[in-house]
Amino acid sequence: DAKTTQPPSMDCAEGRAANLPCNHSTISGNEYVYWYRQIHSQGPQYIIHGLKNNETNEMASLIITEDRKSSTLILPHATLRDTAVYYCIVRVPPSNRDDKIIFGKGTRLHILP
Amino acid sequence: EAGVTQFPSHSVIEKGQTVTLRCDPISGHDNLYWYRRVMGKEIKFLLHFVKESKQDESGMPNNRFLAERTGGTYSTLKVQPAELEDSGVYFCASSRGRSLSYNEQFFGPGTRLTVL
């Protein structure tokens, strides 16, 4: 079972920041927070990951609370192409034998024109 | 750099027939994964290869599914005989290896399998 809790759906106006929350209250000290998304008819796409510090890349920012029990993915200027299902995932480092991704239900983000 | 490719993109077969899906990972990626999403359900892990060896096949639903990765390059997933509940989208992913802290998995576009 997924170790994260996400709202089933969210709307965001085009051009605005989309803030997607995720709860992972049982996260272990060595588990990373990953975000993937799946745009319709495509395979899942990696977005960003983090351990405890906030992270930013060309796609998004990841804000992790100090107690690491929740995080927020921020798409700073959402476009229609960001409409997708967003998955928040906690995973152990690859040195562990458990290497699979457990996707959960995710958040269906609708970007409104 | 070419991404993960999968063939065919769509397959429609009748119950009882055999279908073979192919995945070509990104060149140099030792890890190859199969996942699937059946209608209305979450994406589920099927199995994981490290080079040609099966590292984890805990997600394979039953013995009608056979995955191979001869030579540690491309992989095939054969379903024989196919059943109606096998319909769904089958994704393949690859990652470089375990020497990195994040082991990002790159996914292919998927094969949509329809069993009639």
PDB file of all heavy atoms in Angstrom, chain A residues 34 36 38 43-44 46 49 87 91 94 97 99-101 103-105, chain B residues 33 35 37 42 45 48 55-56 91 98 100 102-105 107-108:
ATOM      1  N   TYR A  34       9.488  11.474  -3.442  1.00  0.00           N
ATOM      2  CA  TYR A  34       9.545  11.620  -4.893  1.00  0.00           C
ATOM      3  C   TYR A  34       8.188  12.101  -5.403  1.00  0.00           C
ATOM      4  O   TYR A  34       7.150  11.776  -4.837  1.00  0.00           O
ATOM      5  CB  TYR A  34       9.798  10.268  -5.586  1.00  0.00           C
ATOM      6  CG  TYR A  34      11.195   9.736  -5.508  1.00  0.00           C
ATOM      7  CD1 TYR A  34      11.701   9.190  -4.332  1.00  0.00           C
ATOM      8  CD2 TYR A  34      12.010   9.748  -6.635  1.00  0.00           C
ATOM      9  CE1 TYR A  34      12.985   8.679  -4.287  1.00  0.00           C
ATOM     10  CE2 TYR A  34      13.292   9.235  -6.589  1.00  0.00           C
ATOM     11  CZ  TYR A  34      13.770   8.702  -5.409  1.00  0.00           C
ATOM     12  OH  TYR A  34      15.042   8.197  -5.360  1.00  0.00           O
ATOM     13  N   TYR A  36       6.110  12.080  -9.138  1.00  0.00           N
ATOM     14  CA  TYR A  36       5.971  11.732 -10.544  1.00  0.00           C
ATOM     15  C   TYR A  36       4.626  12.263 -11.024  1.00  0.00           C
ATOM     16  O   TYR A  36       3.737  12.550 -10.229  1.00  0.00           O
ATOM     17  CB  TYR A  36       5.974  10.205 -10.753  1.00  0.00           C
ATOM     18  CG  TYR A  36       7.334   9.557 -10.723  1.00  0.00           C
ATOM     19  CD1 TYR A  36       7.997   9.319  -9.529  1.00  0.00           C
ATOM     20  CD2 TYR A  36       7.954   9.147 -11.903  1.00  0.00           C
ATOM     21  CE1 TYR A  36       9.241   8.705  -9.502  1.00  0.00           C
ATOM     22  CE2 TYR A  36       9.197   8.522 -11.899  1.00  0.00           C
ATOM     23  CZ  TYR A  36       9.827   8.306 -10.692  1.00  0.00           C
ATOM     24  OH  TYR A  36      11.062   7.704 -10.678  1.00  0.00           O
ATOM     25  N   GLN A  38       1.633  11.665 -14.394  1.00  0.00           N
ATOM     26  CA  GLN A  38       1.264  10.957 -15.604  1.00  0.00           C
ATOM     27  C   GLN A  38       0.275  11.810 -16.379  1.00  0.00           C
ATOM     28  O   GLN A  38      -0.863  12.021 -15.933  1.00  0.00           O
ATOM     29  CB  GLN A  38       0.659   9.590 -15.320  1.00  0.00           C
ATOM     30  CG  GLN A  38       0.436   8.802 -16.605  1.00  0.00           C
ATOM     31  CD  GLN A  38      -0.261   7.499 -16.424  1.00  0.00           C
ATOM     32  OE1 GLN A  38      -0.819   7.222 -15.374  1.00  0.00           O
ATOM     33  NE2 GLN A  38      -0.233   6.672 -17.456  1.00  0.00           N
ATOM     34  N   GLY A  43       3.535   7.695 -20.321  1.00  0.00           N
ATOM     35  CA  GLY A  43       4.045   7.010 -19.150  1.00  0.00           C
ATOM     36  C   GLY A  43       4.319   7.991 -18.024  1.00  0.00           C
ATOM     37  O   GLY A  43       4.439   9.200 -18.244  1.00  0.00           O
ATOM     38  N   PRO A  44       4.415   7.506 -16.805  1.00  0.00           N
ATOM     39  CA  PRO A  44       4.763   8.387 -15.687  1.00  0.00           C
ATOM     40  C   PRO A  44       6.083   9.110 -15.944  1.00  0.00           C
ATOM     41  O   PRO A  44       6.988   8.564 -16.588  1.00  0.00           O
ATOM     42  CB  PRO A  44       4.861   7.428 -14.502  1.00  0.00           C
ATOM     43  CG  PRO A  44       3.975   6.282 -14.864  1.00  0.00           C
ATOM     44  CD  PRO A  44       4.145   6.131 -16.348  1.00  0.00           C
ATOM     45  N   TYR A  46       9.136  11.436 -14.073  1.00  0.00           N
ATOM     46  CA  TYR A  46       9.773  11.926 -12.854  1.00  0.00           C
ATOM     47  C   TYR A  46       9.748  13.448 -12.824  1.00  0.00           C
ATOM     48  O   TYR A  46       9.979  14.108 -13.841  1.00  0.00           O
ATOM     49  CB  TYR A  46      11.211  11.422 -12.788  1.00  0.00           C
ATOM     50  CG  TYR A  46      12.095  12.125 -11.784  1.00  0.00           C
ATOM     51  CD1 TYR A  46      12.091  11.758 -10.449  1.00  0.00           C
ATOM     52  CD2 TYR A  46      12.924  13.165 -12.178  1.00  0.00           C
ATOM     53  CE1 TYR A  46      12.902  12.398  -9.530  1.00  0.00           C
ATOM     54  CE2 TYR A  46      13.734  13.820 -11.262  1.00  0.00           C
ATOM     55  CZ  TYR A  46      13.721  13.426  -9.943  1.00  0.00           C
ATOM     56  OH  TYR A  46      14.512  14.073  -9.038  1.00  0.00           O
ATOM     57  N   HIS A  49      12.655  15.084  -6.443  1.00  0.00           N
ATOM     58  CA  HIS A  49      12.740  14.290  -5.226  1.00  0.00           C
ATOM     59  C   HIS A  49      13.485  15.086  -4.161  1.00  0.00           C
ATOM     60  O   HIS A  49      14.214  16.048  -4.478  1.00  0.00           O
ATOM     61  CB  HIS A  49      13.449  12.964  -5.475  1.00  0.00           C
ATOM     62  CG  HIS A  49      14.930  13.103  -5.631  1.00  0.00           C
ATOM     63  ND1 HIS A  49      15.498  13.515  -6.811  1.00  0.00           N
ATOM     64  CD2 HIS A  49      15.948  12.927  -4.756  1.00  0.00           C
ATOM     65  CE1 HIS A  49      16.818  13.571  -6.666  1.00  0.00           C
ATOM     66  NE2 HIS A  49      17.119  13.231  -5.429  1.00  0.00           N
ATOM     67  N   TYR A  87       1.703  12.049  -8.523  1.00  0.00           N
ATOM     68  CA  TYR A  87       1.913  11.023  -7.508  1.00  0.00           C
ATOM     69  C   TYR A  87       3.028  11.441  -6.550  1.00  0.00           C
ATOM     70  O   TYR A  87       4.138  11.765  -6.977  1.00  0.00           O
ATOM     71  CB  TYR A  87       2.303   9.698  -8.155  1.00  0.00           C
ATOM     72  CG  TYR A  87       1.247   9.118  -9.066  1.00  0.00           C
ATOM     73  CD1 TYR A  87       1.300   9.338 -10.435  1.00  0.00           C
ATOM     74  CD2 TYR A  87       0.210   8.346  -8.558  1.00  0.00           C
ATOM     75  CE1 TYR A  87       0.337   8.808 -11.283  1.00  0.00           C
ATOM     76  CE2 TYR A  87      -0.755   7.810  -9.401  1.00  0.00           C
ATOM     77  CZ  TYR A  87      -0.682   8.047 -10.760  1.00  0.00           C
ATOM     78  OH  TYR A  87      -1.634   7.521 -11.588  1.00  0.00           O
ATOM     79  N   ARG A  91      10.209   6.539  -0.911  1.00  0.00           N
ATOM     80  CA  ARG A  91      11.013   5.381  -1.313  1.00  0.00           C
ATOM     81  C   ARG A  91      12.311   5.335  -0.547  1.00  0.00           C
ATOM     82  O   ARG A  91      12.887   6.366  -0.203  1.00  0.00           O
ATOM     83  CB  ARG A  91      11.351   5.460  -2.809  1.00  0.00           C
ATOM     84  CG  ARG A  91      10.180   5.353  -3.733  1.00  0.00           C
ATOM     85  CD  ARG A  91      10.631   5.546  -5.160  1.00  0.00           C
ATOM     86  NE  ARG A  91      11.529   4.475  -5.586  1.00  0.00           N
ATOM     87  CZ  ARG A  91      12.382   4.592  -6.594  1.00  0.00           C
ATOM     88  NH1 ARG A  91      12.484   5.736  -7.238  1.00  0.00           N
ATOM     89  NH2 ARG A  91      13.147   3.589  -6.949  1.00  0.00           N
ATOM     90  N   PRO A  94      18.292   3.403  -3.322  1.00  0.00           N
ATOM     91  CA  PRO A  94      18.428   2.239  -4.206  1.00  0.00           C
ATOM     92  C   PRO A  94      19.326   1.142  -3.658  1.00  0.00           C
ATOM     93  O   PRO A  94      19.380   0.077  -4.224  1.00  0.00           O
ATOM     94  CB  PRO A  94      18.994   2.834  -5.493  1.00  0.00           C
ATOM     95  CG  PRO A  94      19.623   4.104  -5.072  1.00  0.00           C
ATOM     96  CD  PRO A  94      18.801   4.611  -3.935  1.00  0.00           C
ATOM     97  N   ARG A  97      16.985  -3.477  -1.248  1.00  0.00           N
ATOM     98  CA  ARG A  97      16.499  -4.407  -2.269  1.00  0.00           C
ATOM     99  C   ARG A  97      15.116  -4.018  -2.782  1.00  0.00           C
ATOM    100  O   ARG A  97      14.696  -4.456  -3.836  1.00  0.00           O
ATOM    101  CB  ARG A  97      16.457  -5.825  -1.709  1.00  0.00           C
ATOM    102  CG  ARG A  97      17.820  -6.423  -1.445  1.00  0.00           C
ATOM    103  CD  ARG A  97      17.678  -7.799  -0.840  1.00  0.00           C
ATOM    104  NE  ARG A  97      17.037  -8.727  -1.752  1.00  0.00           N
ATOM    105  CZ  ARG A  97      17.680  -9.387  -2.689  1.00  0.00           C
ATOM    106  NH1 ARG A  97      18.964  -9.208  -2.866  1.00  0.00           N
ATOM    107  NH2 ARG A  97      17.030 -10.228  -3.468  1.00  0.00           N
ATOM    108  N   ASP A  99      13.084  -1.814  -4.611  1.00  0.00           N
ATOM    109  CA  ASP A  99      13.366  -0.744  -5.560  1.00  0.00           C
ATOM    110  C   ASP A  99      12.139  -0.302  -6.338  1.00  0.00           C
ATOM    111  O   ASP A  99      12.230   0.577  -7.165  1.00  0.00           O
ATOM    112  CB  ASP A  99      14.440  -1.238  -6.528  1.00  0.00           C
ATOM    113  CG  ASP A  99      15.348  -0.126  -6.969  1.00  0.00           C
ATOM    114  OD1 ASP A  99      15.361   0.924  -6.311  1.00  0.00           O
ATOM    115  OD2 ASP A  99      16.025  -0.288  -7.991  1.00  0.00           O
ATOM    116  N   LYS A 100      10.995  -0.920  -6.092  1.00  0.00           N
ATOM    117  CA  LYS A 100       9.830  -0.621  -6.909  1.00  0.00           C
ATOM    118  C   LYS A 100       9.158   0.660  -6.441  1.00  0.00           C
ATOM    119  O   LYS A 100       9.314   1.097  -5.306  1.00  0.00           O
ATOM    120  CB  LYS A 100       8.825  -1.767  -6.832  1.00  0.00           C
ATOM    121  CG  LYS A 100       8.354  -2.126  -5.420  1.00  0.00           C
ATOM    122  CD  LYS A 100       7.455  -3.331  -5.480  1.00  0.00           C
ATOM    123  CE  LYS A 100       7.091  -3.828  -4.081  1.00  0.00           C
ATOM    124  NZ  LYS A 100       8.211  -4.557  -3.450  1.00  0.00           N
ATOM    125  N   ILE A 101       8.397   1.271  -7.358  1.00  0.00           N
ATOM    126  CA  ILE A 101       7.615   2.449  -7.046  1.00  0.00           C
ATOM    127  C   ILE A 101       6.199   2.007  -6.731  1.00  0.00           C
ATOM    128  O   ILE A 101       5.586   1.256  -7.484  1.00  0.00           O
ATOM    129  CB  ILE A 101       7.601   3.440  -8.226  1.00  0.00           C
ATOM    130  CG1 ILE A 101       9.016   3.961  -8.508  1.00  0.00           C
ATOM    131  CG2 ILE A 101       6.662   4.603  -7.934  1.00  0.00           C
ATOM    132  CD1 ILE A 101       9.096   4.860  -9.729  1.00  0.00           C
ATOM    133  N   PHE A 103       2.683   3.531  -6.493  1.00  0.00           N
ATOM    134  CA  PHE A 103       2.144   4.792  -6.979  1.00  0.00           C
ATOM    135  C   PHE A 103       0.985   5.352  -6.163  1.00  0.00           C
ATOM    136  O   PHE A 103       0.846   6.548  -6.036  1.00  0.00           O
ATOM    137  CB  PHE A 103       1.709   4.655  -8.436  1.00  0.00           C
ATOM    138  CG  PHE A 103       2.840   4.803  -9.399  1.00  0.00           C
ATOM    139  CD1 PHE A 103       3.568   3.710  -9.841  1.00  0.00           C
ATOM    140  CD2 PHE A 103       3.209   6.060  -9.846  1.00  0.00           C
ATOM    141  CE1 PHE A 103       4.633   3.871 -10.724  1.00  0.00           C
ATOM    142  CE2 PHE A 103       4.267   6.231 -10.728  1.00  0.00           C
ATOM    143  CZ  PHE A 103       4.979   5.135 -11.160  1.00  0.00           C
ATOM    144  N   GLY A 104       0.119   4.595  -5.652  1.00  0.00           N
ATOM    145  CA  GLY A 104      -1.058   5.158  -4.997  1.00  0.00           C
ATOM    146  C   GLY A 104      -2.022   5.765  -6.005  1.00  0.00           C
ATOM    147  O   GLY A 104      -1.914   5.535  -7.215  1.00  0.00           O
ATOM    148  N   LYS A 105      -2.982   6.515  -5.496  1.00  0.00           N
ATOM    149  CA  LYS A 105      -4.029   7.070  -6.343  1.00  0.00           C
ATOM    150  C   LYS A 105      -3.666   8.431  -6.928  1.00  0.00           C
ATOM    151  O   LYS A 105      -4.191   8.840  -7.959  1.00  0.00           O
ATOM    152  CB  LYS A 105      -5.339   7.181  -5.569  1.00  0.00           C
ATOM    153  CG  LYS A 105      -5.944   5.838  -5.195  1.00  0.00           C
ATOM    154  CD  LYS A 105      -7.252   6.024  -4.437  1.00  0.00           C
ATOM    155  CE  LYS A 105      -7.980   4.705  -4.270  1.00  0.00           C
ATOM    156  NZ  LYS A 105      -7.178   3.651  -3.635  1.00  0.00           N
TER     157      LYS A 105
ATOM    158  N   TYR B  33      12.163  -2.239 -15.348  1.00  0.00           N
ATOM    159  CA  TYR B  33      10.971  -2.514 -14.545  1.00  0.00           C
ATOM    160  C   TYR B  33       9.756  -2.640 -15.460  1.00  0.00           C
ATOM    161  O   TYR B  33       9.658  -1.957 -16.469  1.00  0.00           O
ATOM    162  CB  TYR B  33      10.714  -1.376 -13.568  1.00  0.00           C
ATOM    163  CG  TYR B  33      11.898  -0.935 -12.739  1.00  0.00           C
ATOM    164  CD1 TYR B  33      12.858  -0.075 -13.267  1.00  0.00           C
ATOM    165  CD2 TYR B  33      12.047  -1.356 -11.422  1.00  0.00           C
ATOM    166  CE1 TYR B  33      13.938   0.335 -12.510  1.00  0.00           C
ATOM    167  CE2 TYR B  33      13.133  -0.946 -10.655  1.00  0.00           C
ATOM    168  CZ  TYR B  33      14.068  -0.101 -11.214  1.00  0.00           C
ATOM    169  OH  TYR B  33      15.141   0.310 -10.459  1.00  0.00           O
ATOM    170  N   TYR B  35       5.520  -2.383 -15.104  1.00  0.00           N
ATOM    171  CA  TYR B  35       4.362  -2.001 -14.306  1.00  0.00           C
ATOM    172  C   TYR B  35       3.132  -2.149 -15.193  1.00  0.00           C
ATOM    173  O   TYR B  35       3.234  -2.203 -16.421  1.00  0.00           O
ATOM    174  CB  TYR B  35       4.446  -0.521 -13.875  1.00  0.00           C
ATOM    175  CG  TYR B  35       5.569  -0.160 -12.945  1.00  0.00           C
ATOM    176  CD1 TYR B  35       6.852   0.099 -13.435  1.00  0.00           C
ATOM    177  CD2 TYR B  35       5.355  -0.021 -11.585  1.00  0.00           C
ATOM    178  CE1 TYR B  35       7.886   0.461 -12.579  1.00  0.00           C
ATOM    179  CE2 TYR B  35       6.375   0.352 -10.719  1.00  0.00           C
ATOM    180  CZ  TYR B  35       7.634   0.584 -11.233  1.00  0.00           C
ATOM    181  OH  TYR B  35       8.654   0.944 -10.384  1.00  0.00           O
ATOM    182  N   ARG B  37      -1.253  -0.824 -15.416  1.00  0.00           N
ATOM    183  CA  ARG B  37      -2.467  -0.242 -14.861  1.00  0.00           C
ATOM    184  C   ARG B  37      -3.650  -0.915 -15.528  1.00  0.00           C
ATOM    185  O   ARG B  37      -3.817  -0.776 -16.742  1.00  0.00           O
ATOM    186  CB  ARG B  37      -2.548   1.259 -15.113  1.00  0.00           C
ATOM    187  CG  ARG B  37      -3.789   1.887 -14.485  1.00  0.00           C
ATOM    188  CD  ARG B  37      -4.223   3.152 -15.209  1.00  0.00           C
ATOM    189  NE  ARG B  37      -3.311   4.245 -15.049  1.00  0.00           N
ATOM    190  CZ  ARG B  37      -3.307   5.096 -14.026  1.00  0.00           C
ATOM    191  NH1 ARG B  37      -4.181   4.946 -13.067  1.00  0.00           N
ATOM    192  NH2 ARG B  37      -2.448   6.081 -13.978  1.00  0.00           N
ATOM    193  N   GLU B  42      -4.856   1.468  -9.737  1.00  0.00           N
ATOM    194  CA  GLU B  42      -3.584   2.174  -9.642  1.00  0.00           C
ATOM    195  C   GLU B  42      -2.514   1.469 -10.475  1.00  0.00           C
ATOM    196  O   GLU B  42      -2.644   0.296 -10.810  1.00  0.00           O
ATOM    197  CB  GLU B  42      -3.137   2.220  -8.177  1.00  0.00           C
ATOM    198  CG  GLU B  42      -4.134   2.918  -7.272  1.00  0.00           C
ATOM    199  CD  GLU B  42      -3.874   2.653  -5.802  1.00  0.00           C
ATOM    200  OE1 GLU B  42      -2.782   2.187  -5.465  1.00  0.00           O
ATOM    201  OE2 GLU B  42      -4.769   2.934  -4.988  1.00  0.00           O
ATOM    202  N   PHE B  45       3.370  -2.361  -9.719  1.00  0.00           N
ATOM    203  CA  PHE B  45       4.654  -2.956 -10.064  1.00  0.00           C
ATOM    204  C   PHE B  45       4.473  -4.425 -10.417  1.00  0.00           C
ATOM    205  O   PHE B  45       3.701  -5.142  -9.764  1.00  0.00           O
ATOM    206  CB  PHE B  45       5.586  -2.813  -8.867  1.00  0.00           C
ATOM    207  CG  PHE B  45       6.829  -3.653  -8.925  1.00  0.00           C
ATOM    208  CD1 PHE B  45       7.938  -3.223  -9.630  1.00  0.00           C
ATOM    209  CD2 PHE B  45       6.887  -4.863  -8.256  1.00  0.00           C
ATOM    210  CE1 PHE B  45       9.095  -3.983  -9.666  1.00  0.00           C
ATOM    211  CE2 PHE B  45       8.038  -5.632  -8.283  1.00  0.00           C
ATOM    212  CZ  PHE B  45       9.147  -5.188  -8.988  1.00  0.00           C
ATOM    213  N   HIS B  48      11.209  -6.484 -11.660  1.00  0.00           N
ATOM    214  CA  HIS B  48      12.410  -5.672 -11.793  1.00  0.00           C
ATOM    215  C   HIS B  48      13.574  -6.572 -12.209  1.00  0.00           C
ATOM    216  O   HIS B  48      13.840  -7.584 -11.563  1.00  0.00           O
ATOM    217  CB  HIS B  48      12.697  -4.998 -10.444  1.00  0.00           C
ATOM    218  CG  HIS B  48      14.026  -4.338 -10.319  1.00  0.00           C
ATOM    219  ND1 HIS B  48      14.628  -4.140  -9.088  1.00  0.00           N
ATOM    220  CD2 HIS B  48      14.880  -3.811 -11.243  1.00  0.00           C
ATOM    221  CE1 HIS B  48      15.787  -3.527  -9.275  1.00  0.00           C
ATOM    222  NE2 HIS B  48      15.960  -3.327 -10.558  1.00  0.00           N
ATOM    223  N   GLN B  55      15.451  -9.377 -10.217  1.00  0.00           N
ATOM    224  CA  GLN B  55      15.718  -8.944  -8.855  1.00  0.00           C
ATOM    225  C   GLN B  55      14.503  -9.097  -7.959  1.00  0.00           C
ATOM    226  O   GLN B  55      14.602  -9.446  -6.797  1.00  0.00           O
ATOM    227  CB  GLN B  55      16.171  -7.480  -8.874  1.00  0.00           C
ATOM    228  CG  GLN B  55      16.413  -6.867  -7.510  1.00  0.00           C
ATOM    229  CD  GLN B  55      17.619  -7.471  -6.819  1.00  0.00           C
ATOM    230  OE1 GLN B  55      18.613  -7.796  -7.453  1.00  0.00           O
ATOM    231  NE2 GLN B  55      17.527  -7.655  -5.522  1.00  0.00           N
ATOM    232  N   ASP B  56      13.335  -8.793  -8.519  1.00  0.00           N
ATOM    233  CA  ASP B  56      12.094  -8.809  -7.746  1.00  0.00           C
ATOM    234  C   ASP B  56      10.945  -9.081  -8.704  1.00  0.00           C
ATOM    235  O   ASP B  56      10.718  -8.300  -9.611  1.00  0.00           O
ATOM    236  CB  ASP B  56      11.910  -7.456  -7.042  1.00  0.00           C
ATOM    237  CG  ASP B  56      10.635  -7.379  -6.209  1.00  0.00           C
ATOM    238  OD1 ASP B  56       9.857  -8.351  -6.180  1.00  0.00           O
ATOM    239  OD2 ASP B  56      10.416  -6.319  -5.588  1.00  0.00           O
ATOM    240  N   PHE B  91       3.462  -0.597 -18.624  1.00  0.00           N
ATOM    241  CA  PHE B  91       4.558   0.362 -18.704  1.00  0.00           C
ATOM    242  C   PHE B  91       5.878  -0.328 -18.412  1.00  0.00           C
ATOM    243  O   PHE B  91       5.966  -1.197 -17.546  1.00  0.00           O
ATOM    244  CB  PHE B  91       4.376   1.486 -17.690  1.00  0.00           C
ATOM    245  CG  PHE B  91       3.184   2.361 -17.942  1.00  0.00           C
ATOM    246  CD1 PHE B  91       2.050   2.241 -17.152  1.00  0.00           C
ATOM    247  CD2 PHE B  91       3.196   3.293 -18.954  1.00  0.00           C
ATOM    248  CE1 PHE B  91       0.948   3.042 -17.368  1.00  0.00           C
ATOM    249  CE2 PHE B  91       2.094   4.103 -19.190  1.00  0.00           C
ATOM    250  CZ  PHE B  91       0.960   3.966 -18.391  1.00  0.00           C
ATOM    251  N   ARG B  98      22.339   1.603  -9.125  1.00  0.00           N
ATOM    252  CA  ARG B  98      22.119   1.892  -7.713  1.00  0.00           C
ATOM    253  C   ARG B  98      23.257   2.666  -7.081  1.00  0.00           C
ATOM    254  O   ARG B  98      23.319   2.790  -5.884  1.00  0.00           O
ATOM    255  CB  ARG B  98      21.879   0.597  -6.959  1.00  0.00           C
ATOM    256  CG  ARG B  98      20.569  -0.024  -7.342  1.00  0.00           C
ATOM    257  CD  ARG B  98      20.367  -1.327  -6.666  1.00  0.00           C
ATOM    258  NE  ARG B  98      18.982  -1.739  -6.756  1.00  0.00           N
ATOM    259  CZ  ARG B  98      18.534  -2.883  -6.289  1.00  0.00           C
ATOM    260  NH1 ARG B  98      19.356  -3.703  -5.695  1.00  0.00           N
ATOM    261  NH2 ARG B  98      17.273  -3.203  -6.412  1.00  0.00           N
ATOM    262  N   LEU B 100      23.641   5.765  -7.459  1.00  0.00           N
ATOM    263  CA  LEU B 100      23.168   7.135  -7.268  1.00  0.00           C
ATOM    264  C   LEU B 100      22.148   7.170  -6.146  1.00  0.00           C
ATOM    265  O   LEU B 100      21.475   6.190  -5.866  1.00  0.00           O
ATOM    266  CB  LEU B 100      22.551   7.669  -8.560  1.00  0.00           C
ATOM    267  CG  LEU B 100      23.472   7.641  -9.767  1.00  0.00           C
ATOM    268  CD1 LEU B 100      22.719   8.007 -11.021  1.00  0.00           C
ATOM    269  CD2 LEU B 100      24.649   8.580  -9.566  1.00  0.00           C
ATOM    270  N   TYR B 102      19.333   8.682  -6.020  1.00  0.00           N
ATOM    271  CA  TYR B 102      17.921   8.881  -6.325  1.00  0.00           C
ATOM    272  C   TYR B 102      17.362   7.864  -7.304  1.00  0.00           C
ATOM    273  O   TYR B 102      16.195   7.611  -7.308  1.00  0.00           O
ATOM    274  CB  TYR B 102      17.686  10.284  -6.874  1.00  0.00           C
ATOM    275  CG  TYR B 102      18.710  10.758  -7.883  1.00  0.00           C
ATOM    276  CD1 TYR B 102      18.548  10.511  -9.235  1.00  0.00           C
ATOM    277  CD2 TYR B 102      19.828  11.459  -7.476  1.00  0.00           C
ATOM    278  CE1 TYR B 102      19.479  10.947 -10.155  1.00  0.00           C
ATOM    279  CE2 TYR B 102      20.766  11.903  -8.402  1.00  0.00           C
ATOM    280  CZ  TYR B 102      20.579  11.646  -9.737  1.00  0.00           C
ATOM    281  OH  TYR B 102      21.503  12.075 -10.637  1.00  0.00           O
ATOM    282  N   ASN B 103      18.166   7.279  -8.144  1.00  0.00           N
ATOM    283  CA  ASN B 103      17.721   6.162  -8.974  1.00  0.00           C
ATOM    284  C   ASN B 103      16.435   6.480  -9.724  1.00  0.00           C
ATOM    285  O   ASN B 103      15.464   5.745  -9.670  1.00  0.00           O
ATOM    286  CB  ASN B 103      17.506   4.913  -8.111  1.00  0.00           C
ATOM    287  CG  ASN B 103      17.429   3.658  -8.951  1.00  0.00           C
ATOM    288  OD1 ASN B 103      18.054   3.570  -9.995  1.00  0.00           O
ATOM    289  ND2 ASN B 103      16.657   2.695  -8.511  1.00  0.00           N
ATOM    290  N   GLU B 104      16.441   7.599 -10.424  1.00  0.00           N
ATOM    291  CA  GLU B 104      15.273   8.009 -11.172  1.00  0.00           C
ATOM    292  C   GLU B 104      14.905   6.974 -12.215  1.00  0.00           C
ATOM    293  O   GLU B 104      15.752   6.498 -12.955  1.00  0.00           O
ATOM    294  CB  GLU B 104      15.557   9.340 -11.862  1.00  0.00           C
ATOM    295  CG  GLU B 104      14.456   9.824 -12.788  1.00  0.00           C
ATOM    296  CD  GLU B 104      14.893  11.055 -13.552  1.00  0.00           C
ATOM    297  OE1 GLU B 104      15.868  11.700 -13.137  1.00  0.00           O
ATOM    298  OE2 GLU B 104      14.260  11.357 -14.580  1.00  0.00           O
ATOM    299  N   GLN B 105      13.628   6.611 -12.260  1.00  0.00           N
ATOM    300  CA  GLN B 105      13.132   5.679 -13.254  1.00  0.00           C
ATOM    301  C   GLN B 105      12.499   6.465 -14.401  1.00  0.00           C
ATOM    302  O   GLN B 105      11.667   7.332 -14.184  1.00  0.00           O
ATOM    303  CB  GLN B 105      12.096   4.728 -12.638  1.00  0.00           C
ATOM    304  CG  GLN B 105      12.707   3.769 -11.624  1.00  0.00           C
ATOM    305  CD  GLN B 105      11.732   2.743 -11.098  1.00  0.00           C
ATOM    306  OE1 GLN B 105      10.714   2.454 -11.713  1.00  0.00           O
ATOM    307  NE2 GLN B 105      12.037   2.186  -9.939  1.00  0.00           N
ATOM    308  N   PHE B 107      10.179   6.251 -17.713  1.00  0.00           N
ATOM    309  CA  PHE B 107       9.117   5.376 -18.195  1.00  0.00           C
ATOM    310  C   PHE B 107       8.928   5.498 -19.704  1.00  0.00           C
ATOM    311  O   PHE B 107       9.095   6.566 -20.283  1.00  0.00           O
ATOM    312  CB  PHE B 107       7.798   5.721 -17.505  1.00  0.00           C
ATOM    313  CG  PHE B 107       7.697   5.189 -16.110  1.00  0.00           C
ATOM    314  CD1 PHE B 107       8.347   5.815 -15.061  1.00  0.00           C
ATOM    315  CD2 PHE B 107       6.950   4.048 -15.846  1.00  0.00           C
ATOM    316  CE1 PHE B 107       8.263   5.323 -13.770  1.00  0.00           C
ATOM    317  CE2 PHE B 107       6.855   3.549 -14.560  1.00  0.00           C
ATOM    318  CZ  PHE B 107       7.506   4.183 -13.524  1.00  0.00           C
ATOM    319  N   GLY B 108       8.534   4.373 -20.290  1.00  0.00           N
ATOM    320  CA  GLY B 108       8.110   4.385 -21.679  1.00  0.00           C
ATOM    321  C   GLY B 108       6.652   4.814 -21.788  1.00  0.00           C
ATOM    322  O   GLY B 108       5.980   5.008 -20.777  1.00  0.00           O
TER     323      GLY B 108
END
